[in-house]
Protein backbone atom coordinates (compact mmCIF):
# COMPACT_ATOMS: atom_id res chain seq x y z
CA UNK A 1 0.00 0.00 0.00
CA UNK A 2 2.85 2.42 0.80
CA UNK A 3 4.35 1.74 -2.64
CA UNK A 4 1.16 2.93 -4.34
CA UNK A 5 1.05 5.99 -2.12
CA UNK A 6 4.64 6.90 -3.01
CA UNK A 7 3.94 6.52 -6.74
CA UNK A 8 0.71 8.50 -6.46
CA UNK A 9 2.29 11.39 -4.57
CA UNK A 10 5.14 11.60 -7.07
CA UNK A 11 2.71 11.50 -9.98
CA UNK A 12 0.62 14.34 -8.53
CA UNK A 13 3.68 16.56 -8.19
CA UNK A 14 5.03 15.51 -11.61
CA UNK A 15 1.76 16.15 -13.44
CA UNK A 16 1.36 19.57 -11.85
CA UNK A 17 4.98 20.46 -12.64
CA UNK A 18 4.37 19.39 -16.25
CA UNK A 19 1.28 21.59 -16.49
CA UNK A 20 3.12 24.58 -14.99
CA UNK A 21 6.18 24.18 -17.24
CA UNK A 22 4.08 23.69 -20.36
CA UNK A 23 1.97 26.78 -19.66
CA UNK A 24 5.06 28.83 -18.82
CA UNK A 25 6.80 27.87 -22.06
CA UNK A 26 3.68 28.69 -24.04
CA UNK A 27 3.47 32.14 -22.43
CA UNK A 28 7.15 32.86 -22.86
CA UNK A 29 7.87 31.35 -26.28
CA UNK A 30 4.51 31.14 -28.06
CA UNK A 31 2.63 28.29 -29.74
CA UNK A 32 4.71 27.88 -32.93
CA UNK A 33 6.81 24.98 -31.58
CA UNK A 34 6.11 22.64 -28.62
CA UNK A 35 8.93 24.08 -26.48
CA UNK A 36 7.21 23.07 -23.26
CA UNK A 37 7.15 19.40 -24.17
CA UNK A 38 10.78 19.56 -25.24
CA UNK A 39 11.84 21.23 -21.97
CA UNK A 40 9.82 18.72 -19.96
CA UNK A 41 11.25 15.70 -21.76
CA UNK A 42 14.84 16.95 -21.49
CA UNK A 43 14.64 18.04 -17.85
CA UNK A 44 12.73 14.88 -16.87
CA UNK A 45 15.38 12.78 -18.58
CA UNK A 46 18.10 14.61 -16.66
CA UNK A 47 16.29 14.11 -13.34
CA UNK A 48 15.77 10.41 -14.03
CA UNK A 49 19.37 9.83 -15.12
CA UNK A 50 20.73 11.68 -12.10
CA UNK A 51 18.38 10.13 -9.58
CA UNK A 52 18.82 6.53 -10.69
CA UNK A 53 22.61 6.68 -10.64
CA UNK A 54 22.66 8.68 -7.40
CA UNK A 55 20.40 6.23 -5.59
CA UNK A 56 21.94 3.04 -6.98
CA UNK A 57 25.65 3.91 -7.02
CA UNK A 58 26.19 6.76 -4.55
CA UNK A 59 23.74 6.65 -1.66
CA UNK A 60 21.48 4.06 -0.15
CA UNK A 61 17.83 5.06 -0.05
CA UNK A 62 14.61 3.33 0.76
CA UNK A 63 13.30 1.75 -2.49
CA UNK A 64 10.11 3.78 -2.09
CA UNK A 65 12.08 6.90 -3.00
CA UNK A 66 12.76 5.34 -6.39
CA UNK A 67 9.06 4.67 -6.77
CA UNK A 68 8.20 8.23 -5.74
CA UNK A 69 10.75 9.97 -8.00
CA UNK A 70 11.42 7.62 -10.93
CA UNK A 71 8.01 6.02 -11.39
CA UNK A 72 5.72 8.65 -9.88
CA UNK A 73 7.31 12.04 -10.51
CA UNK A 74 9.13 11.31 -13.77
CA UNK A 75 6.23 9.23 -15.05
CA UNK A 76 3.78 12.04 -14.29
CA UNK A 77 6.15 14.76 -15.51
CA UNK A 78 7.54 13.59 -18.83
CA UNK A 79 5.31 13.75 -21.83
CA UNK A 80 6.09 11.18 -24.47
CA UNK A 81 2.45 10.92 -25.56
CA UNK A 82 2.27 14.71 -25.96
CA UNK A 83 5.50 14.65 -27.95
CA UNK A 84 4.10 11.99 -30.29
CA UNK A 85 0.80 13.82 -30.77
CA UNK A 86 2.47 17.19 -31.35
CA UNK A 87 4.83 15.62 -33.89
CA UNK A 88 1.90 14.16 -35.83
CA UNK A 89 -0.02 17.45 -35.60
CA UNK A 90 2.95 19.25 -37.14
CA UNK A 91 3.02 16.65 -39.91
CA UNK A 92 -0.69 17.08 -40.62
CA UNK A 93 -0.16 20.85 -40.85
CA UNK A 94 2.60 20.31 -43.41
CA UNK A 95 5.23 21.64 -41.01
CA UNK A 96 7.80 19.03 -42.00
CA UNK A 97 10.84 20.95 -40.77
CA UNK A 98 9.27 21.64 -37.38
CA UNK A 99 8.17 18.02 -37.10
CA UNK A 100 11.68 16.75 -37.84
CA UNK A 101 13.16 19.31 -35.44
CA UNK A 102 10.76 18.18 -32.73
CA UNK A 103 11.56 14.49 -33.22
CA UNK A 104 15.33 14.91 -33.42
CA UNK A 105 15.60 17.46 -30.60
CA UNK A 106 13.41 15.52 -28.15
CA UNK A 107 15.29 12.29 -28.77
CA UNK A 108 18.85 13.59 -28.89
CA UNK A 109 18.52 16.17 -26.12
CA UNK A 110 16.69 13.75 -23.81
CA UNK A 111 19.34 11.07 -24.32
CA UNK A 112 22.05 13.67 -23.71
CA UNK A 113 20.22 14.83 -20.58
CA UNK A 114 20.11 11.29 -19.18
CA UNK A 115 23.86 10.98 -19.76
CA UNK A 116 24.48 14.39 -18.15
CA UNK A 117 22.41 13.45 -15.11
CA UNK A 118 24.23 10.14 -14.79
CA UNK A 119 27.63 11.82 -15.12
CA UNK A 120 26.76 14.47 -12.53
CA UNK A 121 25.56 11.83 -10.08
CA UNK A 122 28.81 9.93 -10.51
CA UNK A 123 30.88 13.06 -9.90
CA UNK A 124 29.17 13.95 -6.65
Amino acid sequence: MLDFLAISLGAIVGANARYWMSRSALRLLGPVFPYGTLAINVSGSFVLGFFMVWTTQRVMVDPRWRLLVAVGFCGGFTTFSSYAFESMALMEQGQWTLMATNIVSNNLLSLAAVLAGMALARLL
Side-chain angles (χ1 to χ4, degrees), residues 69-110:
V69 175
V71 178
F73 177 81
C74 289
F77 181 64
T78 58
T79 56
F80 191 82
S81 57
S82 296
Y83 148 75
F85 178 81
E86 290 164 349
S87 295
M88 292 301 97
L90 289 169
M91 182 191 72
E92 287 182 339
Q93 296 165 11
Q95 299 289 332
W96 297 99
T97 303
L98 285 178
M99 181 193 77
T101 300
N102 193 41
I103 291 169
V104 170
S105 59
N106 267 285
N107 284 287
L108 292 181
L109 291 175
S110 293

Side-chain angles (χ1 to χ4, degrees), residues 38 41-50 80 83 103-119:
L38 177 60
N41 286 338
V42 172
S43 61
S45 296
F46 179 85
V47 167
L48 185 61
F50 178 87
F80 191 82
Y83 148 75
I103 291 169
V104 170
S105 59
N106 267 285
N107 284 287
L108 292 181
L109 291 175
S110 293
L111 290 171
V114 165
L115 285 174
M118 292 168 70

